[in-house]
Amino acid sequence: MGHLLVVESWVGSMSRLLPRAIREGGHEFTFLTRDLHHYLRSAPEGTAHPLLGARHVITTDTNDTEALPTEVERLHGVLGFDGVVTSCDYYLPTAARLAGRLGLPGPGPEAVAAACRKDATRRALAAAGLPQPRFAVHEEWPELARAAREIGYPLVVKPVDLCAGMYVRRVDDETQLAEAVRALHGFPVNARGQERVPLVLLEELLGGPEVSVETVSHGGAVHVVGVTDKSVGGAPAFIETGHMFPAALTPADTEAVRRTAVDALRALGLTDGVVAHTEIKLTTAGPRVVEVNPRPAGNRITELVRHVTGIDLAAACVDVALGNAPDLRPADTGLRSAAIGFLVPERDGTLEALDGREAAAAEGVLEVQLAEPGRAVKAAGSNNEYLGHVMAGDPGGLGARDRVEGLLAGLRAELVVR
C-alpha cells in the first residue's frame, strides 16, 4: 500500500476520479491545500465529498515555492510519502519539484515546467524540429503588433500559463488583437492566487480537425493508449463542445498523430512517471502540435477511454506516481466508441428551465449531468462555463458522437435564459 501526497486538485471530475483510483488501488493519500474552503464550497451533490477519504488534510501555503519544500520534507519525515501527485494544472510543476526533492518517482521537474508553459513548449519543439504552428512570444504591444503582421492574420492569441481555453482567442485584425491582449493583461492573477507571467503567445491559425493523444510514460517508454477527437465552438474563443474515443481517423492519420505525440513528449523529456494529453491538429500538411499537457485529460475523456478499453487513466496516474508499472491491458467492455457532449451557454442570464432530461437519460446513456434551474448563466468564454454534459456509447461502431449530439440538440431547444 502506498501513501500519496496530493497537492491541490480541481473541483471537477478529477477531484473524484483521482481519490477513487487511490482507494481502489489499495493506497491512501494526504491532501495538501492553501484553501480548504475552495473545495468545501464545491462539494459534489449526492455523493460523499472526496476529501473525506483522505488520511490527513493539511493546510499550508502551496503557492510559497520557497517555504513549501521544507514544510513537505518535515511532513515526509513524520508521515512518510511514497509519491506526489496533483490533478490541477497550476500545481503540476510544484508536485514534480516536491517529488524530486523527496527522491520519489515522477517526471523531471524541468520537463513538467516546460510543458506547463506554452512558450517553453514551443521553443523545445522548435529545437527538436517538430511540426507546430509558426509562433512568437512578446509582452509589449509594439513587438506583438509587429509579430502578428509577420505571422499573418487570422491568428491565435494565447496566455502562456493558463488552461481550459481561458483567454485563447482567434483574432482577424490588429483591432481584435489589441482587445485580446488588453483582456489578457487585465487578468494578472490566476484562479489559485498565483501571479501570472505577462507574456503573450501568438500562433498561426491552423486548419483541420483537432485530436488528442492519451499516453502513459513509465520507465523511459511512452505508451499510447489511444486518440480522442474534439469538436470546438464558441468563436472567437475555442471552447471544447464534445469528444469521442476513439477518433474516427484513417489508420495512416492515426499512426501519424500517435508518432507526433510521442516525439513531442520525448522532446520535452516526459518519458517517465506521467500520464499526458497531447493536442494535435491534422492539417493538410500533416500533424501539428497544439499543446502538451503533462496530466490526464480533462472533460471526462479519461472516462471515455475507460468505457471503451477498460483502461483506467486515473489509476495509471496513481501507479506511475508511485513508481509502479501501470496496467494498460485493454479489455472487452462491449463498446466500440464513447462520446461526450457539453451544453454550452451562449449568453448571460439565469437558467429558468432545462427540459428534456428524461430523453437525455435514455437507455444506454452512460452519464447525464445537467444544471438545475435558478443557476446563474455566463456566456461561455472557456471550458469553465458548461451547463452540463451527456455521455453515451455505441457497441456497434463509431456512432457515439451522433447519438450524443442528437440528445444535446433536444436539450438546447429547451434552454431558456434571461
Side-chain angles (χ1 to χ4, degrees), residues 182-242:
R182 187 161 49 248
L184 189 50
H185 285 334
F187 190 70
V189 178
N190 69 24
R192 296 308 182 95
Q194 298 169 335
E195 186 175 345
R196 291 195 49 255
V197 177
L199 294 172
V200 178
L201 174 62
L202 304 180
E203 292 181 356
E204 169 191 9
L205 179 67
L206 299 174
E210 186 170 336
V211 299
S212 62
V213 183
E214 322 309 334
T215 56
V216 180
S217 297
H218 176 71
V222 180
H223 305 272
V224 177
V225 175
V227 181
T228 313
D229 78 6
K230 176 191 297 187
S231 55
V232 178
F238 295 84
I239 300 169
E240 296 177 3
T241 60

Side-chain angles (χ1 to χ4, degrees), residues 124-266:
L125 298 183
L130 295 184
Q132 59 177 336
R134 290 179 293 129
F135 71 97
V137 184
H138 296 289
E139 179 179 351
E140 301 300 330
W141 172 252
E143 289 79 11
L144 286 167
R146 182 173 60 254
R149 290 191 293 270
E150 291 172 354
I151 294 173
Y153 293 99
L155 50 77
V156 181
V157 177
K158 292 183 177 181
V160 299
D161 57 357
L162 291 176
C163 56
M166 293 184 66
Y167 291 93
V168 178
R169 296 291 183 272
R170 167 181 169 148
V171 297
D172 294 308
D173 54 41
E174 194 164 289
T175 299
Q176 292 179 7
L177 174 64
E179 292 172 354
V181 170
R182 187 161 49 248
L184 189 50
H185 285 334
F187 190 70
V189 178
N190 69 24
R192 296 308 182 95
Q194 298 169 335
E195 186 175 345
R196 291 195 49 255
V197 177
L199 294 172
V200 178
L201 174 62
L202 304 180
E203 292 181 356
E204 169 191 9
L205 179 67
L206 299 174
E210 186 170 336
V211 299
S212 62
V213 183
E214 322 309 334
T215 56
V216 180
S217 297
H218 176 71
V222 180
H223 305 272
V224 177
V225 175
V227 181
T228 313
D229 78 6
K230 176 191 297 187
S231 55
V232 178
F238 295 84
I239 300 169
E240 296 177 3
T241 60
H243 304 276
M244 186 174 76
F245 183 90
L249 301 178
T250 66
D253 283 343
T254 299
E255 177 57 28
V257 297
R258 288 166 64 104
R259 186 172 57 251
T260 300
V262 171
D263 288 345
L265 290 166
R266 287 175 176 162

Side-chain angles (χ1 to χ4, degrees), residues 51-398:
L51 293 184
L52 291 175
R55 175 175 163 186
H56 305 283
V57 176
I58 299 173
T59 301
T60 192
D61 190 352
T62 52
N63 286 349
D64 190 339
T65 56
E66 293 187 3
L68 184 61
T70 301
E71 173 65 8
V72 168
E73 280 185 327
R74 183 186 69 81
L75 293 172
H76 180 51
V78 176
L79 302 176
F81 303 121
D82 301 297
V84 185
V85 70
T86 183
S87 67
C88 180
D89 296 61
Y90 299 136
Y91 293 96
L92 290 166
T94 299
R97 285 194 298 269
L98 292 175
R101 178 76 169 257
L102 300 180
L104 298 176
E110 296 83 5
V112 174
C116 291
R117 278 280 301 266
K118 295 178 177 65
D119 55 330
T121 297
R122 286 278 170 251
R123 287 190 289 269
L125 298 183
L130 295 184
Q132 59 177 336
R134 290 179 293 129
F135 71 97
V137 184
H138 296 289
E139 179 179 351
E140 301 300 330
W141 172 252
E143 289 79 11
L144 286 167
R146 182 173 60 254
R149 290 191 293 270
E150 291 172 354
I151 294 173
Y153 293 99
L155 50 77
V156 181
V157 177
K158 292 183 177 181
V160 299
D161 57 357
L162 291 176
C163 56
M166 293 184 66
Y167 291 93
V168 178
R169 296 291 183 272
R170 167 181 169 148
V171 297
D172 294 308
D173 54 41
E174 194 164 289
T175 299
Q176 292 179 7
L177 174 64
E179 292 172 354
V181 170
R182 187 161 49 248
L184 189 50
H185 285 334
F187 190 70
V189 178
N190 69 24
R192 296 308 182 95
Q194 298 169 335
E195 186 175 345
R196 291 195 49 255
V197 177
L199 294 172
V200 178
L201 174 62
L202 304 180
E203 292 181 356
E204 169 191 9
L205 179 67
L206 299 174
E210 186 170 336
V211 299
S212 62
V213 183
E214 322 309 334
T215 56
V216 180
S217 297
H218 176 71
V222 180
H223 305 272
V224 177
V225 175
V227 181
T228 313
D229 78 6
K230 176 191 297 187
S231 55
V232 178
F238 295 84
I239 300 169
E240 296 177 3
T241 60
H243 304 276
M244 186 174 76
F245 183 90
L249 301 178
T250 66
D253 283 343
T254 299
E255 177 57 28
V257 297
R258 288 166 64 104
R259 186 172 57 251
T260 300
V262 171
D263 288 345
L265 290 166
R266 287 175 176 162
L268 287 163
L270 293 170
T271 58
D272 193 26
V274 64
V275 177
H277 169 72
T278 302
E279 298 172 337
I280 294 173
K281 274 275 194 180
L282 265 170
T283 74
T284 55
R288 297 290 182 269
V289 179
V290 176
E291 288 184 7
V292 179
N293 299 285
R295 43 81 176 159
N299 271 353
R300 307 292 286 173
I301 290 174
T302 57
E303 293 304 277
L304 300 182
V305 173
R306 185 177 63 84
H307 282 301
V308 175
T309 69
I311 296 172
D312 188 339
L313 290 173
C317 186
V318 170
D319 286 333
V320 298
L322 292 168
N324 300 329
D327 184 359
L328 302 178
R329 294 171 298 177
D332 184 2
T333 66
L335 290 180
R336 295 282 304 281
S337 66
I340 187 168
F342 300 98
L343 195 58
V344 181
E346 298 179 352
R347 56 189 187 276
D348 298 345
T350 301
L351 182 64
E352 293 183 340
L354 209 172
D355 298 329
R357 297 171 187 266
E358 295 79 8
E363 183 180 356
V365 171
L366 300 171
E367 290 182 13
V368 178
Q369 180 179 316
L370 300 173
E372 295 296 331
R375 172 175 162 176
V377 176
K378 179 181 178 182
S382 70
N383 298 334
N384 295 323
E385 288 90 25
Y386 298 134
L387 289 178
H389 69 261
V390 177
M391 183 188 296
D394 179 12
L398 299 177

